Structures are given as C-alpha cells and as structure tokens.
Amino acid sequence: MEWLEDNKIPVGKWAKGVVDWLTDNAAFIFRAVEAVLDVMISAILAVLQFPPALVTVALVTALALWLKRSVPLAVSVALGLLFIINQGYWEETTETLTLVLASALVCMAVGVPIGIFLAHHKRAYALVRPILDLMQTLPTFVYLIPAIIFFGLGMVPGLVATVIFVIPAPIRLTQLGIASTPKAMLEAGHAFGASSRQLLWKVELPSAMPQIMAGLTQTIMLSLSMVVIAALVGADGLGVPIVRALNTVNTALGFEAGFVIVVVAILLDRLLRIGDAK
C-alpha cells in the first residue's frame, strides 16, 4: 500500500506542465479568443438590455405565441418575465441569458460539424468518445482553474468553462442523428446519383434535425446549470446573488435568485420543447 502511494502517477504535474506550456507559448491564441468572445458577449448583452424591460417582455410573449400558437403558454411567459422584473433581477437575467446564448452559439457552431465528422468516421468517434465522457464527468470546478489562468476573471472564462462542459451534448446528439439516418434513404439518394455533399444536406441533416434540435435544447439547459459556477470566476448574472447569499447566509436573497433561475429554466424549456404546442 505504501509503495503504491509513494509511486503515484504524476497526473497533477502533467496537467500543470501542459497548462504552463500553453501559458508560455499560446498566450496570443487565448488573447485572440478572448477578444472574439468578449465582442460576442457584449453584442448579445447590448441587444437584450437596449429595449426597456416591458418592451422585451412584449416581444418575447409575441414570439412565444407565434412559435407555439398557444395563448396559455404566451400568458405564462409574460407572467414569468413580469415576476422576474418584480423581484428586481431583470439585469441579472439578461446577463445570464447572454452567457447561455453565447454558449449555445459556440457549442452548436463547433459541435455540429464535429458530430457530422464523427458520424462518418467510426474509428475517430471511438477515440473521441472517452474524451467526451471525461469532459462531462470531470468536476466543473476543475475547468475554472485553467480558465482563470488563460482568460482572467469575467464573462469570458465563465463562457469557456461552460462551453467545455456543455459541448459534448451537441456533438453526441448530432453524431447520433447522422448515424441513425435510415439506410433506405441513403440508398435511394445513391440510386439517384447524389454526391456525398448532397446526401448530407438533402438526406442526413433533415433526418437528424430532431436530434440536432434536442442537442440545442440540452446545450441551453446545461449552460443555465453553469450559472452559479460561472459566477465564481467573475461572470455576471443570476449566479452572483446566489454566491453572495451563500457567503452571507442570506436565506431571502438565495431563495429570490433561486426562484428566478427556476422561472428562466421553465420558460426556456417550454419555448424550446420540440413538438409541443401547448
């Protein structure tokens, strides 16, 4: 037992060595990534915070009515948003939605192409699958350490940690959707002389669209679950009052912010649920 402990595998030292090497040799890449993400975050936040709160409530309610064709759902959305305003967390909610939307954009832009590639290369998927498992099972707090080292404090490191945790979902679901395309549809496409690109755009992607949309839904909901963790690295949003309530043992503040997060999660789930018009 002692021999085993005295000769432990230096996993921590290896990880530190990789981080130190990246810090010394790839700082310019992280600065460029930080600049791009910061611009995207600022743009989304400006769009969400520019209109008066009540105008945004009206627009989102109209969008819900148009998407779902359900008056009760639209009323529920309006009441939920008005509750958020009533509790005084509108600004924090827009900051949280900014983080969620930015995460969704990055994850889908990167995850869908990777999922398509892995669906067409089974050996590559066999190699990547353990990495995806590691990304989803590794405690999310571990991601915060290199995020702080590479990007400092603020919304960007929170976004990076969120993306690392969330991106396996769109990759897996896109791969599943493309790989599950019925063989009869592929054979029919081949029979009509379709190229590989035409098969992808005309057959595989339409067939996989429900899984891809499910990946988008999972991305948004998982991103929302990272709100409190992102607040630990300086990300604004609803996680900030939660952390403050925890530090000061403020029950009232904790429940207020907690209920607002629940309302946001429910509204997003109802708006994004596929095939639900009620």
Side-chain angles (χ1 to χ4, degrees):
M1 185 68 178
E2 293 181 0
W3 176 88
L4 192 62
E5 293 178 352
D6 293 338
N7 295 274
K8 72 175 183 178
I9 301 174
V11 176
K13 291 183 178 178
W14 293 343
K16 183 178 183 301
V18 172
V19 171
D20 290 342
W21 186 89
L22 290 173
T23 303
D24 295 335
N25 298 277
F28 68 97
I29 297 177
F30 297 121
R31 297 287 79 78
V33 171
E34 181 180 7
V36 172
L37 295 180
D38 189 57
V39 169
M40 180 173 61
I41 290 171
S42 299
I44 297 175
L45 188 61
V47 171
L48 291 177
Q49 291 187 344
F50 174 73
L54 293 179
V55 173
T56 302
V57 171
L59 292 175
V60 175
T61 302
L63 177 64
L65 183 61
W66 178 71
L67 288 176
K68 298 298 183 178
R69 299 292 192 272
S70 173
V71 174
L73 176 62
V75 172
S76 299
V77 170
L79 292 177
L81 295 177
L82 290 175
F83 171 78
I84 293 172
I85 297 174
N86 172 262
Q87 294 299 301
Y89 289 97
W90 182 254
E91 182 177 352
E92 290 83 356
T93 299
T94 58
E95 292 166 346
T96 292
L97 289 176
T98 296
L99 181 63
V100 171
L101 292 176
S103 173
L105 288 174
V106 174
C107 288
M108 297 305 290
V110 176
V112 171
I114 293 177
I116 293 173
F117 174 81
L118 295 178
H120 291 149
H121 299 81
K122 294 183 179 180
R123 291 184 179 179
Y125 182 60
L127 295 174
V128 172
R129 185 165 54 186
I131 299 176
L132 298 177
D133 293 337
L134 177 66
M135 292 169 66
Q136 287 192 304
T137 56
L138 194 68
T140 50
F141 289 97
V142 177
Y143 300 139
L144 300 181
I145 301 172
I148 293 174
I149 295 174
F150 296 146
F151 302 102
L153 297 175
M155 293 286 280
V156 173
L159 174 59
V160 171
T162 301
V163 168
I164 295 174
F165 173 69
V166 173
I167 200 170
I171 292 176
R172 289 182 185 275
L173 287 168
T174 300
Q175 187 277 334
L176 176 63
I178 297 294
S180 301
T181 303
K183 292 184 179 179
M185 296 176 62
L186 294 174
E187 291 173 355
H190 283 296
F192 282 99
S195 64
S196 298
R197 179 175 296 181
Q198 289 173 327
L199 283 176
L200 174 62
W201 288 99
K202 301 294 185 180
V203 178
E204 292 178 326
L205 283 177
S207 176
M209 193 54 63
Q211 285 82 7
I212 294 175
M213 292 304 298
L216 174 60
T217 303
Q218 287 294 311
T219 297
I220 291 176
M221 300 309 293
L222 289 172
S223 298
L224 188 60
S225 71
M226 289 286 290
V227 166
V228 177
I229 296 175
L232 296 176
V233 293
D236 297 325
L238 292 169
V240 175
I242 295 290
V243 173
R244 188 181 301 121
L246 181 62
N247 291 334
T248 59
V249 196
N250 190 328
T251 304
L253 179 63
F255 271 89
E256 285 179 0
F259 275 123
V260 170
I261 292 176
V262 170
V263 170
V264 173
I266 292 174
L267 294 182
L268 289 175
D269 178 68
R270 295 297 184 271
L271 289 173
L272 295 171
R273 185 175 297 177
I274 300 172
D276 184 11
K278 295 182 180 181

